[in-house]
Amino acid sequence: MQSIDTYNFKGKKALIRVDFNVPLDDEYNITDDTRIKAALPTIEKILNDNGSVILMSHLGRPKGVEERFSLKHIVNHISKLTGRTVNFAEDCIGEKTCSMACDLKEGEILLLENLRFHPEEKKGDEEFAKKLADLADCWVNDAFGTAHRAHASTAIISKFFPNDKMFGYVINSELESVDKFINSSVQPVTAIMGGAKVSSKIGIIKNLMNKVDNIIIGGGMTFTFVKAMGGKIGNSLVEDDKLFEARELLKEAKEKGVNFIISVDALCGDKFDNNANTKTFSVHEIPEGWIGLDAGDESIKNFKNVIENSKTILWNGPVGVFEMPSFEKGTKEVAYSVAEATSNGVFTLIGGGDSVAAANQYGVADKVSYVSTGGGALLEYIEGKELPGIEAIRK
Ligand code: AMP
């Protein structure tokens, strides 16, 4: 396997699959440029080695060509961050793009238009992948967020670079940190699982049972577990078609000796609204008309107690509707507690869109060991699935 640190980029054109799927406001200003900043070390390394860089990415979910999803909106910002001129190709393939790539000199950058303007990208079309591959001498995959997709630019393209493909620094550090968690033998290992639905987390919870000592269950998925145990959950979020699986998970945890820490009480609202009337109930005795929207104080105390006694921690998903200030306490306390553990030498990994947003909201993103950029990709990797974008380089 090639490494970005040892590959000779001199005089070569490197096609980098980046994740520049950044949020834009109505005037096309970038509201969070974290993903662009994350790719800078990879770009700089290649340019400083006297190579040239062709950047390709998707932006949003366009249906065909849609002006608002054009990557031209981010050209100036990339230019500002790199301190270099950024050329822009109005299509990611085609004659004009080919000649722009051909004319690219050492130290220069070319950004291609949104890959998803071509439906072939998501279909993993081989001919389309070949057209992209023809633009360059080597392929660098640095988009961890899309590594679980077998798209043309994230995986299929690899066959055209059998000896000239490698990970960029974003994927390298993601894998290093996630592997550190997965392979950690520093116990107790704890996974904090929150978020809305259990359906999207069953696979990962199942796989985590073979690795961790404690699984904290918070957020909306709590109530599917509670109902599965026979509790009354009022109008709380529930997935009735997952009750059997929830029961199976509880059984498996018992058999494997994994400590399942489910909320014991919930801060409930009489409507799904920040201004709702609130009351705390036992999670097993929530009256009709009330919705569990955050972990109650007793649950928060239990969560913190487990976190304080852990040596390796993964946090995925908020333990309440933290977007509403009235129901943010549980998530906020978990965030502080995970940061505190980190300062005591515990390895802490935060991953999954909403827990990352929460970590940012409570100012702890730089107080934990690692914040992963990959939502679905991270979960699938921890789940033990092969990610096409990773295997494409490794194989
Ligand atoms: P996920 O994408 O599955 O990680 O879910 C994240 C979302 O779960 C966040 O937007 C939270 O507001 C939501 N959430 C957390 N706790 C609850 C709850 N008790 N009821 C409904 N939604 C919740």
Side-chain angles (χ1 to χ4, degrees):
M1 200 172 96
Q2 294 281 3
S3 152
I4 186 170
D5 286 316
T6 51
Y7 189 83
N8 181 8
F9 289 103
K10 182 155 176 40
K12 298 230 173 88
K13 294 178 177 43
L15 182 59
I16 316 178
R17 178 49 160 106
V18 284
D19 180 2
F20 285 176
N21 184 26
V22 289
L24 299 171
D25 65 17
D26 291 344
E27 270 131 34
Y28 301 120
N29 298 305
I30 300 170
T31 52
D32 181 355
D33 65 356
T34 312
R35 288 174 171 166
I36 302 180
K37 281 188 177 145
L40 292 178
T42 299
I43 297 170
E44 290 301 330
K45 157 77 181 159
I46 296 169
L47 296 176
N48 291 337
D49 281 3
N50 294 318
S52 53
V53 159
I54 302 171
L55 300 169
M56 58 174 175
S57 178
H58 74 283
L59 176 64
R61 292 179 176 166
K63 294 181 180 69
V65 179
E66 281 187 76
E67 156 86 12
R68 68 193 169 115
F69 293 120
S70 172
L71 281 169
K72 73 179 177 199
H73 305 305
I74 70 168
V75 173
N76 288 343
H77 198 71
I78 303 173
S79 187
K80 202 168 104 192
L81 291 176
T82 56
R84 302 182 194 243
T85 306
V86 175
N87 303 291
F88 181 67
E90 288 170 5
D91 192 352
C92 61
I93 53 169
E95 235 170 77
K96 204 168 155 207
T97 304
C98 269
S99 76
M100 285 181 91
C102 205
D103 292 343
L104 210 57
K105 311 260 177 340
E106 288 179 13
E108 289 185 347
I109 304 175
L110 174 65
L111 172 69
L112 306 183
E113 181 55 288
N114 195 340
L115 292 159
R116 291 193 187 166
F117 283 179
H118 290 266
E120 294 92 334
E121 161 65 358
K122 282 176 83 170
K123 285 186 191 143
D125 183 88
E126 205 172 299
E127 243 172 78
F128 176 71
K130 173 146 186 3
K131 287 179 191 160
L132 292 171
D134 284 344
L135 300 173
D137 303 301
C138 62
W139 171 57
V140 181
N141 192 6
D142 214 15
F144 187 65
T146 48
H148 58 318
R149 307 279 182 224
H151 294 170
S153 69
T154 63
I156 310 304
I157 196 170
S158 71
K159 69 185 299 183
F160 303 107
F161 297 103
N163 301 311
D164 299 279
K165 54 181 184 174
M166 67 214 86
F167 295 127
Y169 290 121
V170 173
I171 291 200
N172 270 343
S173 56
E174 287 279 348
L175 294 180
E176 198 183 307
S177 300
V178 184
D179 285 340
K180 192 166 170 184
F181 170 77
I182 293 174
N183 302 321
S184 178
S185 51
V186 189
Q187 290 172 306
V189 181
T190 296
I192 308 160
M193 303 302 294
K197 294 182 171 175
V198 68
S199 49
S200 56
K201 314 262 163 112
I202 288 173
I204 184 170
I205 294 175
K206 244 176 150 21
N207 197 50
L208 283 170
M209 286 219 234
N210 303 315
K211 301 186 194 313
V212 306
D213 305 286
N214 306 306
I215 300 183
I216 292 176
I217 299 282
M221 73 168 104
T222 307
F223 305 102
T224 299
F225 282 102
V226 173
K227 188 163 179 185
M229 290 186 278
K232 292 197 190 78
I233 58 165
N235 293 51
S236 307
L237 189 68
V238 66
E239 288 170 279
D240 281 316
D241 58 337
K242 297 291 170 224
L243 292 175
F244 175 75
E245 266 123 323
R247 240 173 257 131
E248 289 295 300
L249 285 174
L250 291 166
K251 209 164 90 192
E252 197 178 334
K254 214 171 189 176
E255 281 161 14
K256 293 194 164 145
V258 176
N259 193 14
F260 242 60
I261 303 100
I262 302 181
S263 295
V264 288
D265 57 350
L267 179 65
C268 300
D270 59 356
K271 53 184 171 183
F272 193 86
D273 191 314
N274 188 44
N275 298 317
N277 293 308
T278 60
K279 206 166 173 183
T280 299
F281 295 100
S282 147
V283 284
H284 293 271
E285 298 293 341
I286 301 176
E288 283 305 312
W290 290 88
I291 314 165
L293 295 173
D294 194 10
D297 285 343
E298 199 57 32
S299 309
I300 295 174
K301 205 167 87 192
N302 294 345
F303 294 171
K304 285 172 75 171
N305 188 31
V306 173
I307 293 168
E308 275 163 24
N309 288 297
S310 300
K311 292 279 179 274
T312 305
I313 297 171
L314 164 74
W315 178 26
N316 174 273
V319 300
V321 186
F322 76 105
E323 297 93 336
M324 299 182 194
S326 304
F327 303 102
E328 69 170 351
K329 186 176 173 191
T331 304
K332 196 174 182 175
E333 295 276 334
V334 165
Y336 290 161
S337 204
V338 170
E340 172 80 20
T342 320
S343 69
N344 293 326
V346 172
F347 179 75
T348 53
L349 168 66
I350 299 187
D354 277 313
S355 33
V356 174
N360 284 325
Q361 188 165 319
Y362 304 123
V364 303
D366 57 355
K367 296 189 176 72
V368 298
S369 308
Y370 194 77
V371 178
S372 171
T373 57
L378 173 82
L379 294 189
E380 289 194 19
Y381 191 73
I382 296 178
E383 211 172 312
K385 286 190 183 160
E386 283 197 351
L387 307 192
I390 305 299
E391 293 309 310
I393 301 278
R394 284 184 175 160
K395 274 192 180 146

mmCIF file of all heavy atoms in Angstrom, residues 194-198 200-201 218-223 236-237 272 291-295 316-324 331 352-355, ligand 1:
data_model
loop_
_atom_site.group_PDB
_atom_site.id
_atom_site.type_symbol
_atom_site.label_atom_id
_atom_site.label_comp_id
_atom_site.label_asym_id
_atom_site.label_seq_id
_atom_site.Cartn_x
_atom_site.Cartn_y
_atom_site.Cartn_z
ATOM 1 N N GLY A 194 -26.595 7.473 21.962
ATOM 2 C CA GLY A 194 -27.810 8.276 22.066
ATOM 3 C C GLY A 194 -28.416 8.455 20.688
ATOM 4 O O GLY A 194 -28.196 7.637 19.801
ATOM 5 N N GLY A 195 -29.156 9.535 20.529
ATOM 6 C CA GLY A 195 -29.778 9.800 19.230
ATOM 7 C C GLY A 195 -31.233 9.432 19.240
ATOM 8 O O GLY A 195 -31.789 9.031 20.270
ATOM 9 N N ALA A 196 -31.849 9.571 18.082
ATOM 10 C CA ALA A 196 -33.292 9.423 18.024
ATOM 11 C C ALA A 196 -33.733 7.969 18.005
ATOM 12 O O ALA A 196 -34.547 7.538 18.816
ATOM 13 C CB ALA A 196 -33.816 10.162 16.797
ATOM 14 N N LYS A 197 -33.186 7.210 17.082
ATOM 15 C CA LYS A 197 -33.756 5.890 16.821
ATOM 16 C C LYS A 197 -32.806 4.744 17.073
ATOM 17 O O LYS A 197 -31.621 4.826 16.754
ATOM 18 C CB LYS A 197 -34.199 5.836 15.361
ATOM 19 C CG LYS A 197 -35.344 6.772 15.074
ATOM 20 C CD LYS A 197 -35.770 6.650 13.642
ATOM 21 C CE LYS A 197 -37.053 7.419 13.414
ATOM 22 N NZ LYS A 197 -37.432 7.413 12.006
ATOM 23 N N VAL A 198 -33.348 3.671 17.572
ATOM 24 C CA VAL A 198 -32.525 2.488 17.807
ATOM 25 C C VAL A 198 -32.255 1.767 16.471
ATOM 26 O O VAL A 198 -31.221 1.121 16.310
ATOM 27 C CB VAL A 198 -33.192 1.544 18.848
ATOM 28 C CG1 VAL A 198 -34.449 0.908 18.306
ATOM 29 C CG2 VAL A 198 -32.225 0.479 19.314
ATOM 30 N N SER A 200 -31.223 2.668 13.650
ATOM 31 C CA SER A 200 -29.972 2.985 12.966
ATOM 32 C C SER A 200 -28.751 2.552 13.770
ATOM 33 O O SER A 200 -27.630 2.641 13.305
ATOM 34 C CB SER A 200 -29.902 4.481 12.681
ATOM 35 O OG SER A 200 -30.057 5.204 13.876
ATOM 36 N N LYS A 201 -28.968 2.072 15.001
ATOM 37 C CA LYS A 201 -27.822 1.762 15.868
ATOM 38 C C LYS A 201 -27.754 0.294 16.286
ATOM 39 O O LYS A 201 -26.846 -0.103 17.008
ATOM 40 C CB LYS A 201 -27.855 2.638 17.136
ATOM 41 C CG LYS A 201 -28.128 4.121 16.882
ATOM 42 C CD LYS A 201 -26.869 4.965 16.845
ATOM 43 C CE LYS A 201 -27.090 6.316 16.208
ATOM 44 N NZ LYS A 201 -27.003 7.470 17.058
ATOM 45 N N GLY A 218 -29.041 6.366 25.880
ATOM 46 C CA GLY A 218 -29.790 7.594 26.156
ATOM 47 C C GLY A 218 -30.562 8.006 24.917
ATOM 48 O O GLY A 218 -30.595 7.295 23.918
ATOM 49 N N GLY A 219 -31.185 9.172 24.994
ATOM 50 C CA GLY A 219 -31.898 9.708 23.827
ATOM 51 C C GLY A 219 -33.201 8.982 23.550
ATOM 52 O O GLY A 219 -33.718 8.217 24.371
ATOM 53 N N GLY A 220 -33.710 9.216 22.355
ATOM 54 C CA GLY A 220 -35.013 8.673 21.977
ATOM 55 C C GLY A 220 -35.065 7.160 22.000
ATOM 56 O O GLY A 220 -36.115 6.561 22.277
ATOM 57 N N MET A 221 -33.929 6.525 21.721
ATOM 58 C CA MET A 221 -33.967 5.056 21.637
ATOM 59 C C MET A 221 -34.235 4.386 22.989
ATOM 60 O O MET A 221 -34.640 3.235 23.068
ATOM 61 C CB MET A 221 -32.680 4.525 21.012
ATOM 62 C CG MET A 221 -31.477 4.583 21.881
ATOM 63 S SD MET A 221 -30.156 3.619 21.133
ATOM 64 C CE MET A 221 -29.136 4.895 20.483
ATOM 65 N N THR A 222 -34.031 5.162 24.074
ATOM 66 C CA THR A 222 -34.303 4.654 25.420
ATOM 67 C C THR A 222 -35.676 3.993 25.494
ATOM 68 O O THR A 222 -35.851 2.918 26.081
ATOM 69 C CB THR A 222 -34.305 5.837 26.429
ATOM 70 O OG1 THR A 222 -33.093 6.560 26.285
ATOM 71 C CG2 THR A 222 -34.497 5.372 27.857
ATOM 72 N N PHE A 223 -36.655 4.684 24.861
ATOM 73 C CA PHE A 223 -38.046 4.290 25.088
ATOM 74 C C PHE A 223 -38.443 3.003 24.372
ATOM 75 O O PHE A 223 -39.347 2.310 24.813
ATOM 76 C CB PHE A 223 -38.957 5.479 24.760
ATOM 77 C CG PHE A 223 -38.535 6.682 25.555
ATOM 78 C CD1 PHE A 223 -37.791 7.707 24.975
ATOM 79 C CD2 PHE A 223 -38.790 6.743 26.922
ATOM 80 C CE1 PHE A 223 -37.344 8.781 25.729
ATOM 81 C CE2 PHE A 223 -38.343 7.814 27.681
ATOM 82 C CZ PHE A 223 -37.615 8.842 27.085
ATOM 83 N N SER A 236 -43.691 9.107 24.292
ATOM 84 C CA SER A 236 -42.286 9.186 23.882
ATOM 85 C C SER A 236 -42.061 8.463 22.568
ATOM 86 O O SER A 236 -42.848 7.592 22.172
ATOM 87 C CB SER A 236 -41.384 8.547 24.949
ATOM 88 O OG SER A 236 -41.647 9.103 26.202
ATOM 89 N N LEU A 237 -40.963 8.826 21.925
ATOM 90 C CA LEU A 237 -40.578 8.210 20.646
ATOM 91 C C LEU A 237 -40.388 6.701 20.835
ATOM 92 O O LEU A 237 -39.750 6.265 21.788
ATOM 93 C CB LEU A 237 -39.246 8.829 20.205
ATOM 94 C CG LEU A 237 -38.739 8.510 18.812
ATOM 95 C CD1 LEU A 237 -39.646 9.155 17.770
ATOM 96 C CD2 LEU A 237 -37.319 9.043 18.638
ATOM 97 N N PHE A 272 -43.693 18.503 22.134
ATOM 98 C CA PHE A 272 -42.334 18.507 21.597
ATOM 99 C C PHE A 272 -41.963 19.948 21.296
ATOM 100 O O PHE A 272 -41.988 20.401 20.158
ATOM 101 C CB PHE A 272 -42.281 17.643 20.318
ATOM 102 C CG PHE A 272 -40.873 17.330 19.865
ATOM 103 C CD1 PHE A 272 -40.178 16.242 20.389
ATOM 104 C CD2 PHE A 272 -40.232 18.114 18.907
ATOM 105 C CE1 PHE A 272 -38.885 15.946 19.974
ATOM 106 C CE2 PHE A 272 -38.937 17.820 18.492
ATOM 107 C CZ PHE A 272 -38.268 16.741 19.012
ATOM 108 N N ILE A 291 -43.948 13.326 26.936
ATOM 109 C CA ILE A 291 -42.915 12.811 26.032
ATOM 110 C C ILE A 291 -41.544 12.909 26.716
ATOM 111 O O ILE A 291 -41.157 13.996 27.175
ATOM 112 C CB ILE A 291 -42.833 13.666 24.733
ATOM 113 C CG1 ILE A 291 -44.234 13.945 24.171
ATOM 114 C CG2 ILE A 291 -41.940 13.021 23.693
ATOM 115 C CD1 ILE A 291 -44.247 15.058 23.125
ATOM 116 N N GLY A 292 -40.824 11.822 26.758
ATOM 117 C CA GLY A 292 -39.469 11.854 27.329
ATOM 118 C C GLY A 292 -38.524 12.562 26.370
ATOM 119 O O GLY A 292 -38.333 12.124 25.237
ATOM 120 N N LEU A 293 -37.970 13.685 26.829
ATOM 121 C CA LEU A 293 -37.149 14.491 25.914
ATOM 122 C C LEU A 293 -35.708 14.672 26.381
ATOM 123 O O LEU A 293 -34.860 15.165 25.639
ATOM 124 C CB LEU A 293 -37.798 15.866 25.688
ATOM 125 C CG LEU A 293 -39.159 15.823 24.952
ATOM 126 C CD1 LEU A 293 -39.812 17.202 24.926
ATOM 127 C CD2 LEU A 293 -39.004 15.284 23.542
ATOM 128 N N ASP A 294 -35.432 14.289 27.629
ATOM 129 C CA ASP A 294 -34.043 14.350 28.101
ATOM 130 C C ASP A 294 -33.876 13.336 29.231
ATOM 131 O O ASP A 294 -34.860 12.877 29.827
ATOM 132 C CB ASP A 294 -33.717 15.773 28.607
ATOM 133 C CG ASP A 294 -32.206 15.993 28.782
ATOM 134 O OD1 ASP A 294 -31.424 15.123 28.344
ATOM 135 O OD2 ASP A 294 -31.821 17.039 29.352
ATOM 136 N N ALA A 295 -32.616 13.013 29.514
ATOM 137 C CA ALA A 295 -32.350 12.129 30.648
ATOM 138 C C ALA A 295 -32.682 12.905 31.925
ATOM 139 O O ALA A 295 -32.436 14.113 32.009
ATOM 140 C CB ALA A 295 -30.888 11.728 30.630
ATOM 141 N N ASN A 316 -21.520 8.472 20.860
ATOM 142 C CA ASN A 316 -22.255 8.633 19.613
ATOM 143 C C ASN A 316 -23.720 8.967 19.896
ATOM 144 O O ASN A 316 -24.464 8.103 20.363
ATOM 145 C CB ASN A 316 -22.156 7.337 18.789
ATOM 146 C CG ASN A 316 -23.022 7.409 17.546
ATOM 147 O OD1 ASN A 316 -24.194 7.076 17.594
ATOM 148 N ND2 ASN A 316 -22.480 7.875 16.462
ATOM 149 N N GLY A 317 -24.088 10.192 19.628
ATOM 150 C CA GLY A 317 -25.507 10.581 19.718
ATOM 151 C C GLY A 317 -25.866 11.271 21.020
ATOM 152 O O GLY A 317 -25.476 10.824 22.096
ATOM 153 N N PRO A 318 -26.655 12.357 20.929
ATOM 154 C CA PRO A 318 -27.085 13.098 22.126
ATOM 155 C C PRO A 318 -28.060 12.285 22.970
ATOM 156 O O PRO A 318 -28.790 11.450 22.437
ATOM 157 C CB PRO A 318 -27.784 14.330 21.533
ATOM 158 C CG PRO A 318 -28.212 13.919 20.165
ATOM 159 C CD PRO A 318 -27.209 12.921 19.675
ATOM 160 N N VAL A 319 -28.052 12.534 24.273
ATOM 161 C CA VAL A 319 -28.937 11.753 25.153
ATOM 162 C C VAL A 319 -30.278 12.451 25.382
ATOM 163 O O VAL A 319 -31.070 12.024 26.214
ATOM 164 C CB VAL A 319 -28.262 11.402 26.500
ATOM 165 C CG1 VAL A 319 -27.016 10.575 26.272
ATOM 166 C CG2 VAL A 319 -27.951 12.661 27.304
ATOM 167 N N GLY A 320 -30.512 13.525 24.652
ATOM 168 C CA GLY A 320 -31.788 14.221 24.729
ATOM 169 C C GLY A 320 -31.924 15.146 23.544
ATOM 170 O O GLY A 320 -31.039 15.216 22.687
ATOM 171 N N VAL A 321 -33.053 15.865 23.487
ATOM 172 C CA VAL A 321 -33.261 16.802 22.374
ATOM 173 C C VAL A 321 -32.483 18.079 22.699
ATOM 174 O O VAL A 321 -33.056 19.105 23.077
ATOM 175 C CB VAL A 321 -34.767 17.071 22.167
ATOM 176 C CG1 VAL A 321 -35.003 17.915 20.919
ATOM 177 C CG2 VAL A 321 -35.515 15.752 22.012
ATOM 178 N N PHE A 322 -31.164 17.981 22.544
ATOM 179 C CA PHE A 322 -30.275 19.052 23.027
ATOM 180 C C PHE A 322 -30.429 20.341 22.225
ATOM 181 O O PHE A 322 -29.997 21.400 22.662
ATOM 182 C CB PHE A 322 -28.815 18.585 22.988
ATOM 183 C CG PHE A 322 -28.220 18.579 21.597
ATOM 184 C CD1 PHE A 322 -27.323 19.573 21.215
ATOM 185 C CD2 PHE A 322 -28.594 17.623 20.680
ATOM 186 C CE1 PHE A 322 -26.790 19.585 19.928
ATOM 187 C CE2 PHE A 322 -28.064 17.632 19.393
ATOM 188 C CZ PHE A 322 -27.171 18.614 19.016
ATOM 189 N N GLU A 323 -31.083 20.247 21.054
ATOM 190 C CA GLU A 323 -31.300 21.464 20.263
ATOM 191 C C GLU A 323 -32.231 22.426 20.998
ATOM 192 O O GLU A 323 -32.241 23.617 20.719
ATOM 193 C CB GLU A 323 -31.921 21.117 18.897
ATOM 194 C CG GLU A 323 -31.055 20.258 17.987
ATOM 195 C CD GLU A 323 -31.345 18.762 18.136
ATOM 196 O OE1 GLU A 323 -31.853 18.350 19.214
ATOM 197 O OE2 GLU A 323 -31.039 18.011 17.202
ATOM 198 N N MET A 324 -33.035 21.886 21.927
ATOM 199 C CA MET A 324 -33.923 22.751 22.722
ATOM 200 C C MET A 324 -33.282 22.955 24.096
ATOM 201 O O MET A 324 -33.065 21.982 24.821
ATOM 202 C CB MET A 324 -35.290 22.067 22.909
ATOM 203 C CG MET A 324 -36.018 21.792 21.616
ATOM 204 S SD MET A 324 -37.621 21.051 22.028
ATOM 205 C CE MET A 324 -38.109 20.427 20.446
ATOM 206 N N THR A 331 -27.262 15.980 27.693
ATOM 207 C CA THR A 331 -26.217 15.967 26.669
ATOM 208 C C THR A 331 -25.044 16.862 27.081
ATOM 209 O O THR A 331 -23.877 16.493 26.912
ATOM 210 C CB THR A 331 -26.813 16.439 25.322
ATOM 211 O OG1 THR A 331 -27.930 15.604 25.010
ATOM 212 C CG2 THR A 331 -25.794 16.362 24.204
ATOM 213 N N GLY A 352 -20.274 10.829 14.922
ATOM 214 C CA GLY A 352 -21.699 10.860 14.583
ATOM 215 C C GLY A 352 -22.156 12.297 14.620
ATOM 216 O O GLY A 352 -21.918 12.994 15.612
ATOM 217 N N GLY A 353 -22.778 12.734 13.531
ATOM 218 C CA GLY A 353 -23.146 14.127 13.304
ATOM 219 C C GLY A 353 -23.593 14.895 14.525
ATOM 220 O O GLY A 353 -23.010 15.926 14.872
ATOM 221 N N ASP A 354 -24.613 14.380 15.220
ATOM 222 C CA ASP A 354 -25.208 15.196 16.268
ATOM 223 C C ASP A 354 -24.392 15.287 17.547
ATOM 224 O O ASP A 354 -24.446 16.297 18.238
ATOM 225 C CB ASP A 354 -26.618 14.700 16.577
ATOM 226 C CG ASP A 354 -27.613 15.281 15.591
ATOM 227 O OD1 ASP A 354 -27.548 16.491 15.364
ATOM 228 O OD2 ASP A 354 -28.412 14.522 15.025
ATOM 229 N N SER A 355 -23.617 14.241 17.848
ATOM 230 C CA SER A 355 -22.775 14.371 19.042
ATOM 231 C C SER A 355 -21.625 15.330 18.762
ATOM 232 O O SER A 355 -21.141 16.013 19.663
ATOM 233 C CB SER A 355 -22.272 13.019 19.548
ATOM 234 O OG SER A 355 -22.069 12.130 18.510
HETATM 235 P P1 AMP B 1 -29.360 10.460 15.529
HETATM 236 O O1 AMP B 1 -29.200 11.144 14.193
HETATM 237 O O2 AMP B 1 -30.089 9.174 15.458
HETATM 238 O O3 AMP B 1 -28.062 10.393 16.272
HETATM 239 O O4 AMP B 1 -30.338 11.399 16.342
HETATM 240 C C1 AMP B 1 -30.013 12.677 16.775
HETATM 241 C C2 AMP B 1 -31.290 13.366 17.194
HETATM 242 O O5 AMP B 1 -31.896 12.636 18.238
HETATM 243 C C3 AMP B 1 -31.098 14.753 17.715
HETATM 244 O O6 AMP B 1 -31.610 15.668 16.783
HETATM 245 C C4 AMP B 1 -31.918 14.779 19.007
HETATM 246 O O7 AMP B 1 -32.770 15.892 19.118
HETATM 247 C C5 AMP B 1 -32.753 13.528 18.887
HETATM 248 N N1 AMP B 1 -33.176 13.027 20.196
HETATM 249 C C6 AMP B 1 -32.447 12.811 21.291
HETATM 250 N N2 AMP B 1 -33.202 12.407 22.316
HETATM 251 C C7 AMP B 1 -34.475 12.368 21.856
HETATM 252 C C8 AMP B 1 -35.742 12.061 22.470
HETATM 253 N N3 AMP B 1 -35.811 11.675 23.727
HETATM 254 N N4 AMP B 1 -36.838 12.115 21.697
HETATM 255 C C9 AMP B 1 -36.755 12.485 20.410
HETATM 256 N N5 AMP B 1 -35.597 12.801 19.786
HETATM 257 C C10 AMP B 1 -34.476 12.746 20.512
#
